[in-house]
Amino acid sequence: MQNPLMQTIEALAKEKGIEADTIITAIEDAVLTASRKYYKTNENLKTRFNQETGQVDLFAIKHIVQDVEDPTTQISLKEAQDLYGGEAEVDMEIEFPKRTDVLGRIAAQTAKQVIFQKVREAERENIFAEYNQRIGEVISTTVKRFESGDLIVEIGRVEAVLPRKEQSRAESYTPGERIRAVIKGVNRSAKGPQIVLSRTDPALLIKLFEQEVPEIYDGTVMIRGAVREAGDRAKVAVYSRERDVDPVGACVGMKGTRVQAIIRELRGEKIDIVEWSDDVILFVTNALSPAKVQRVSIVDDKERVMEVVVEDKQLSLAIGKKGQNVRLAAKLTGWRIDIKSEEEKRKEVELQFGALEAGDPQAQMDALFPDMPPQVEQEPAPADLSAEADERTQSAEAEATEESEVGEFAEAESTEVAESAPSAETEKLES
């Protein structure tokens, strides 16, 4: 039959959700701490819990050596052999029992504090290890109280916090009310692990669909993306692995029963369920639902920019209240969406054709390529440099003209001399 102390230890371990050995270790450490305070010695003390008697035994450990240097922790081989016979050898340890009934009330209070501290630490570690592995999981909680706008809820025997920034603005809570939230993280604090919950994270929407739609739970329908503006609107992109299964219809359910259950859980938040596609143009068209799109064109593939043209009556619906619809569609698809009405697009095309008819080259380039940066015009050469170049050219031409005239004059003189020379010799012969 177990002693009463062991039965108490097992009951406490079951209540706190920790191992009984953890509590026994805490008791041994507590008695050891109290003994060191009482004896105030440098002895190497050790405690051991006796499960049969329920007592904690205290020992002073001494090391067997040839030459004793510290009598409090060492014993000579000769003395050890006198106590224990020839079995004692060098480097062995001998336990010397010490009394624990003399520790007193203060030592008992110290032991009690140490036990409580060790048990709390073990409980915190267990809670952290358990909930740190459950991040992203949806759990059911009970509202307990409010603290500075934050909501304190209970998860079984553990308290968690739902911060104000993680609460939907369209929701209000009362103590004792049961709500579902997603575990966003677990933080270590001085008071123990703090479990942080969220009602605005898209993971909550995804997990609710997994719970309500069997096709999503078994993997037939996949959720490829989800974005939310908590309390107002959300968009979910779904995809079916089987051709015979309509992903949107499976999520909506018969007469909207499945999606209505999720909307009630999110307190009236509107949910758009769109079909995911590999074709980005088709995906963007679906993501802008419920607006009907006329044309979609890719403006910049590298920067992921698209231009969407809708009917004039559909423009406000495509943009949404304060741009909410197009903003959620851009987050869901990962593309920047520029929405224009047919009237705006028609005026833009007329402006381009007008520039082409005007014949202005720069206006034509701006109309045809509105995104192209303007070309930098070349600056003309300075006036003084061009004038100096003209003067140098004129002087060079003048010098060339003078040289040609001098050459012609010299040639003419040589011709006249050549013609006059024979006539002079002829006159001499005649004389």
Side-chain angles (χ1 to χ4, degrees):
M1 184 175 178
Q2 289 183 339
N3 61 79
L5 180 58
M6 194 62 195
Q7 293 177 354
T8 304
I9 290 173
E10 291 181 352
L12 181 61
K14 186 177 181 180
E15 179 185 353
K16 298 295 184 180
I18 59 179
E19 297 292 334
D21 293 340
T22 304
I23 299 178
I24 292 175
T25 303
I27 294 174
E28 291 176 349
D29 293 342
V31 174
L32 181 62
T33 302
S35 300
R36 286 173 177 170
K37 283 189 175 183
Y38 175 80
Y39 285 105
K40 297 179 181 179
T41 178
N42 294 328
E43 292 179 313
N44 185 12
L45 300 179
K46 180 181 178 181
T47 54
R48 184 184 302 117
F49 180 78
N50 191 334
Q51 296 187 10
E52 295 181 357
T53 61
Q55 299 293 327
V56 180
D57 299 326
L58 178 65
F59 303 94
I61 307 299
K62 290 190 177 183
H63 196 69
I64 301 176
V65 294
Q66 289 286 355
D67 299 323
V68 176
E69 297 179 358
D70 185 3
T72 58
T73 58
Q74 295 177 345
I75 186 173
S76 65
L77 178 61
K78 183 177 184 304
E79 292 179 0
Q81 289 178 347
D82 292 342
L83 293 173
Y84 294 96
E87 297 180 357
E89 297 179 358
V90 177
D91 293 335
M92 291 180 62
E93 291 181 347
I94 298 179
E95 296 179 349
F96 293 89
K98 297 182 74 68
R99 296 178 60 184
T100 57
D101 55 352
V102 295
L103 297 181
R105 182 179 59 83
I106 297 178
Q109 289 292 334
T110 303
K112 180 180 178 181
Q113 293 176 0
V114 172
I115 291 173
F116 285 164
Q117 182 180 359
K118 293 290 184 180
V119 170
R120 282 197 301 267
E121 289 177 357
E123 188 178 9
R124 292 171 184 173
E125 288 298 325
N126 286 349
I127 294 173
F128 180 83
E130 177 185 355
Y131 287 96
N132 193 43
Q133 297 177 356
R134 298 174 62 184
I135 293 178
E137 180 181 336
V138 174
I139 57 175
S140 181
T141 64
T142 303
V143 178
K144 188 174 182 181
R145 64 182 184 276
F146 297 90
E147 290 184 0
S148 303
D150 296 342
L151 196 63
I152 306 301
V153 298
E154 282 185 333
I155 312 172
R157 293 177 288 102
V158 181
E159 288 189 353
V161 60
L162 182 62
R164 176 182 294 179
K165 64 179 181 179
E166 300 295 340
Q167 300 174 20
S168 174
R169 62 181 183 179
E171 299 177 354
S172 59
Y173 313 96
T174 56
E177 183 180 1
R178 295 191 65 82
I179 59 173
R180 284 193 284 184
V182 63
I183 300 176
K184 192 170 183 180
V186 184
N187 302 325
R188 292 181 182 271
S189 64
K191 297 181 180 180
Q194 188 179 42
I195 304 169
V196 181
L197 306 180
S198 175
R199 289 274 297 177
T200 62
D201 198 287
L204 174 62
L205 183 62
I206 295 174
K207 293 297 182 181
L208 290 176
F209 268 100
E210 290 179 357
Q211 293 177 3
E212 295 292 339
V213 182
E215 289 83 357
I216 295 178
Y217 182 78
D218 62 20
T220 304
V221 176
M222 299 176 60
I223 297 179
R224 302 303 297 263
V227 291
R228 292 181 64 195
E229 289 190 1
D232 291 331
R233 200 178 196 92
K235 285 185 181 290
V236 181
V238 294
Y239 170 76
S240 176
R241 292 183 175 180
E242 298 181 7
R243 294 183 179 180
D244 298 336
V245 178
D246 177 18
V248 177
C251 294
V252 173
M254 185 68 68
K255 297 183 180 181
T257 53
R258 294 176 176 176
V259 72
Q260 285 299 326
I262 300 174
I263 292 174
R264 284 194 299 270
E265 176 64 32
L266 298 179
R267 311 296 175 90
E269 183 175 317
K270 297 178 182 178
I271 302 175
D272 295 333
I273 304 173
V274 300
E275 186 173 358
W276 181 86
S277 176
D278 289 327
D279 185 357
V280 292
I281 293 179
L282 180 58
F283 186 29
V284 170
T285 303
N286 296 337
L288 287 171
S289 174
K292 296 180 180 179
V293 177
Q294 294 293 105
R295 296 187 303 276
V296 179
S297 58
I298 298 177
V299 178
D300 191 342
D301 195 4
K302 184 177 180 181
E303 297 294 331
R304 299 176 70 85
V305 180
M306 275 193 180
E307 183 184 74
V308 177
V309 179
V310 299
E311 294 181 358
D312 297 341
K313 297 180 180 179
Q314 295 283 321
L315 181 61
S316 59
L317 184 61
I319 295 175
K321 184 180 179 181
K322 298 181 181 180
Q324 186 182 72
N325 190 60
V326 67
R327 185 165 58 249
L328 288 174
K331 290 181 181 179
L332 185 65
T333 59
W335 284 74
R336 186 163 65 88
I337 302 174
D338 184 13
I339 297 183
K340 297 180 181 178
S341 64
E342 287 187 334
E343 182 66 20
E344 293 175 351
K345 188 63 178 178
R346 185 181 61 80
K347 290 181 180 180
E348 183 179 332
V349 172
E350 288 178 355
L351 182 63
Q352 293 177 358
F353 277 107
L356 291 174
E357 293 176 357
D360 184 2
Q362 184 60 39
Q364 292 176 2
M365 294 298 292
D366 293 341
L368 293 174
F369 306 102
D371 297 331
M372 180 179 292
Q375 296 182 354
V376 180
E377 298 181 356
Q378 295 182 353
E379 297 182 359
D384 53 350
L385 295 179
S386 60
E388 185 178 353
D390 292 340
E391 290 177 1
R392 290 180 180 177
T393 305
Q394 293 176 3
S395 62
E397 291 178 354
E399 290 179 359
T401 304
E402 291 177 358
E403 289 178 359
S404 62
E405 291 177 354
V406 171
E408 291 178 357
F409 180 74
E411 184 178 357
E413 284 186 342
S414 62
T415 304
E416 292 177 357
V417 171
E419 291 177 352
S420 62
S423 60
E425 290 179 356
T426 306
E427 289 178 357
K428 287 182 181 180
L429 290 173
E430 289 177 354
S431 63

